[in-house]
Amino acid sequence: MKTRKTVTVRTADELGRALGLSQADTAEMEFRSELTLALAEIIQAGRLTHAEIARLAGTSRTRVTGIANGNTHGVSIDVLIRVLAATGHRAEARVKKAAA
């Protein structure tokens, strides 16, 4: 019988290490998470319907609804950025040195 060990993490880096992810995978997970949270807020507070956003972004209403609910499994970063643009927003690139 396997025993389960509870692990508490406070940052994306700690989560990546706990999951055994590479630094690159951890960075992608953190970026996707931040973008998804921002998009969900924008979509839920916006003046456009999910169908209107989908039409402008060239994707499906179901996908936009999933993003609004925080479900981006199987959704590429480029689709997330197109949905962001469809809401009248844009992403800004910020590059910083990773914590050692």
Side-chain angles (χ1 to χ4, degrees), residues 5 22 30 32 41 45 49 51 55 58 62 68 85-86 99-100:
K5 179 180 175 186
S22 68
E30 183 176 20
R32 175 181 287 280
E41 287 180 16
T49 67
R55 181 181 52 76
T62 303

Side-chain angles (χ1 to χ4, degrees), residues 21-62:
L21 300 178
S22 68
Q23 285 183 329
D25 287 340
T26 299
E28 182 180 348
M29 176 187 63
E30 183 176 20
F31 178 80
R32 175 181 287 280
S33 175
E34 288 180 19
L35 183 55
T36 299
L37 288 171
L39 261 173
E41 287 180 16
I42 290 166
I43 292 169
Q44 291 170 359
R47 57 179 172 75
L48 298 174
T49 67
H50 292 189
E52 291 169 323
I53 294 169
R55 181 181 52 76
L56 292 168
T59 191
S60 69
R61 184 203 51 79
T62 303

